[in-house]
Amino acid sequence: MVAVSTSIPLDTEALRADFPFLEEQRDGKPLAYLDSASSTQKPRQVLDRMRAFYEHEYANVHRGVYRLAERATEGYEGARRTVAAFVNAPSEREVIFTRSATESINLVAYAWGLQNLGPGDTVVVTELEHHANFVPWQFIASKTGASFRHIPIDDAGELRLEVLDDLAREGSIKVVATGLVSNSLGTINPVERLAAWAHEQGAIMVVDAAQAAPHRTIDVQALGCDFLAFSSHKLCGPSGIGALWGRRELLEAMEPFNLGGEMIRSVGLERTTFNELPYKFEAGTPAIAEAVGFGAAIDYISEIGLPAIEQHEHELTVYAMDRLGELKWVRLFGPPVERRAGIVSFDVAGVHPHDVAQILDWDGIAVRAGHHCTQPLMARLGVAATTRASFYLYSIAEEVDRLVDGLHKVKKSLG
Ligand SMILES: Cc1ncc(COP(=O)(O)O)c(C=O)c1O
C-alpha cells in the first residue's frame, strides 16, 4: 500500500515518508534530489518486496519442478503481467525483459534491423534523441547500407514536422525511432502522429518511453507504435532491468538477439530451434528479483496514479520555469511548459554547468550537468552541456526554492 490516496493533488508529505533517502539530513535538510530523469529513488514498498522475494521466494525461474522454483517463476511472470497491463499490451507474450531501455532498443536495432534493412532503405530518428535511440540505429544503418536521417528541431526544441514530406520523398523509410519525452528538454513528441506517418511509409515505429513511462499513462495500442522501450530504474524500481514491448507478428518473425540457455526449443549438434515468445529473447538467467522489484514499482506508481503524478510534476515545472525565468542570467532551454514534462534544462551565464552542479551540491541540491547523452542536441543548441533539474512524485516546491537560492550563490561566487 502507498501512503497516499489516488486523488489529485498528491499528498507529497505522506508520500515522501515512503522514501528512506529523505531520512538522511545535512544541515537539517534532506537532499533536494532534482535528478530523477537520470534515475529515481526507491520507496520502501519496492525495497521490502525485493527483500521478501530474496528471503522467501528465490530460486532460478522456468526450470525447477520444486515448489520454491515455481514460486520464483510466478513472481517473475507476475511481473511480466504487470508490465504488460501497465502499457496496455494486447498480450503478455509481447513483453520481453531486458537489462534496460538501452538494451531494448539494441534488441530491435540488431534483431529487426539486420534482417530488414539494406541499401535504399532509410532509418529516421530525431535531433532530440538520447544516444540510446540514436547510436544503435546509426550503427545498424551503416552496417546494412541504409541511410540514417533525422527530424530536426526548432529553436524551442520541438520537432519540425514540416520536413516529413521531404524525408518521405528521399527514400524508402523503414524505421522511425523517436522518444516520447526528451530527457534533455522535456519536449513531449507527437508520437501518435509520427506512428501514423511511419505506417503510411511502410515503416515500423519504435518508441523510446524511458522518460515517459514513469510519468504518464502509456498505451501502446493508442500510440500505434510497433516497439516501445523503457527502464525500471526511472520509475522507482531497481536498475538492471527494463522492458521491450513489441508487436507479436514482428517479434515472431525476428531472429534472436542473445543466444544460449532458456531461449531454445531444442539443440542438436547440427541445428538449434528457438523458444516461443517471449523466451526467445531472454537468453540465460534473467534479473529475477529485479523483475519482481520492477513489478512492485509499477504497482506503487499505479496506485498513486499516473495522471496525479503527471499533474504534480506539471505544477512543479510551471513553478520552476516561473522562478528560474525571473533570473535574467539564466537561459532556459526547451518548449513552453504546456508541451513539456518535468524537466528543466538551463545555462547560468558565464558558469560551466559542472561548476553549477558542484556548488549546488554543497547545499544538498542534486542536479545533472552534462550533455545528458544527447550530443547532437547539444550541438544544435550551441552548447557543450546544460544544467538540468528534473522532478518526480517526491519532488516539492521547496526544493525549487532551494535551487533558485543556490543559483544566486553560484552567480555570486562565479558569475
Ligand atoms: C530518453 C532516454 N532514453 C533512453 C535512456 C536509457 O535508459 P537506460 O540507461 O535505463 O537504458 C535514457 C536514460 O537516461 C533516456 O533518458
Side-chain angles (χ1 to χ4, degrees), residues 37-38 100-103 105 130 132 181-183 208 210-211 231 233-234:
S38 179
S100 58
T102 302
E103 191 179 64
I105 297 165
H130 188 283
V181 169
S182 153
N183 65 305
D208 172 0
Q211 291 295 342
S231 286
H233 70 95
K234 291 191 198 285

Side-chain angles (χ1 to χ4, degrees), residues 163-173 197 201:
V163 305
L164 294 183
D165 287 344
D166 288 341
L167 283 173
R169 270 192 291 275
E170 277 177 33
S172 155
I173 297 174
W197 178 75
Q201 313 306 313

Side-chain angles (χ1 to χ4, degrees), residues 5 7 88 100 106 145 201 211 236 276 290 368 391:
S5 75
S7 63
N88 197 26
S100 58
N106 272 275
Q201 313 306 313
Q211 291 295 342
C236 292
E276 61 187 8
E290 286 78 3
R368 179 77 179 268
F391 309 120

Side-chain angles (χ1 to χ4, degrees), residues 6-265:
T6 54
S7 63
I8 294 175
L10 289 192
D11 181 356
T12 36
E13 201 50 49
L15 208 148
R16 280 164 68 87
D18 291 339
F19 288 82
F21 88 100
L22 289 167
E23 283 166 15
E24 275 174 43
Q25 303 214 335
R26 201 166 39 169
D27 300 327
K29 287 184 195 139
L31 178 69
Y33 185 74
L34 298 176
D35 195 22
S36 290
S38 179
S39 199
T40 56
Q41 299 294 336
K42 317 304 170 198
R44 244 178 278 281
Q45 287 83 343
V46 169
L47 303 172
D48 290 350
R49 179 68 191 103
M50 289 179 76
R51 185 178 184 96
F53 182 79
Y54 267 129
E55 286 180 347
H56 306 292
E57 298 164 59
Y58 184 76
N60 211 329
V61 290
H62 303 140
R63 36 194 108 183
V65 287
Y66 48 91
R67 275 167 293 170
L68 187 62
E70 282 169 5
R71 226 170 139 194
T73 301
E74 177 45 34
Y76 183 74
E77 291 303 328
R80 192 190 310 279
R81 288 193 291 277
T82 302
V83 172
F86 183 61
V87 298
N88 197 26
S91 159
E92 69 205 54
R93 284 176 176 268
E94 297 175 331
V95 171
I96 295 151
F97 282 127
T98 60
R99 278 193 304 129
S100 58
T102 302
E103 191 179 64
S104 298
I105 297 165
N106 272 275
L107 191 163
V108 183
Y110 274 88
W112 191 92
L114 287 180
Q115 239 175 301
N116 291 287
L117 292 172
D121 295 332
T122 302
V123 176
V124 177
V125 299
T126 81
E127 205 171 16
L128 278 172
E129 278 335 284
H130 188 283
H131 295 162
N133 200 30
F134 190 100
V135 182
W137 293 114
Q138 189 180 48
F139 184 77
I140 295 297
S142 87
K143 274 233 163 307
T144 55
S147 326
F148 179 68
R149 303 302 313 273
H150 70 268
I151 303 171
I153 53 166
D154 61 21
D155 290 340
E158 296 185 277
L159 297 180
R160 287 183 44 209
L161 299 181
E162 69 273 16
V163 305
L164 294 183
D165 287 344
D166 288 341
L167 283 173
R169 270 192 291 275
E170 277 177 33
S172 155
I173 297 174
K174 283 285 180 64
V175 178
V176 179
T178 74
L180 188 39
V181 169
S182 153
N183 65 305
S184 286
L185 301 182
T187 313
I188 301 166
N189 289 324
V191 162
E192 289 96 331
R193 182 157 168 212
L194 287 166
W197 178 75
H199 292 149
E200 278 165 26
Q201 313 306 313
I204 59 161
M205 179 73 197
V206 181
V207 175
D208 172 0
Q211 291 295 342
H215 310 280
R216 48 202 295 122
T217 305
I218 299 286
D219 179 337
V220 292
Q221 301 184 56
L223 286 173
C225 56
D226 298 294
F227 293 98
L228 181 126
F230 61 108
S231 286
S232 149
H233 70 95
K234 291 191 198 285
L235 50 71
C236 292
S239 54
I241 185 148
L244 173 69
W245 169 81
R247 227 179 256 289
R248 183 193 285 234
E249 58 276 21
L250 295 173
L251 291 171
E252 300 272 14
M254 280 154 62
E255 287 180 347
F257 174 48
N258 288 318
L259 301 126
E262 277 292 290
M263 50 74 65
I264 55 90
R265 192 183 302 280

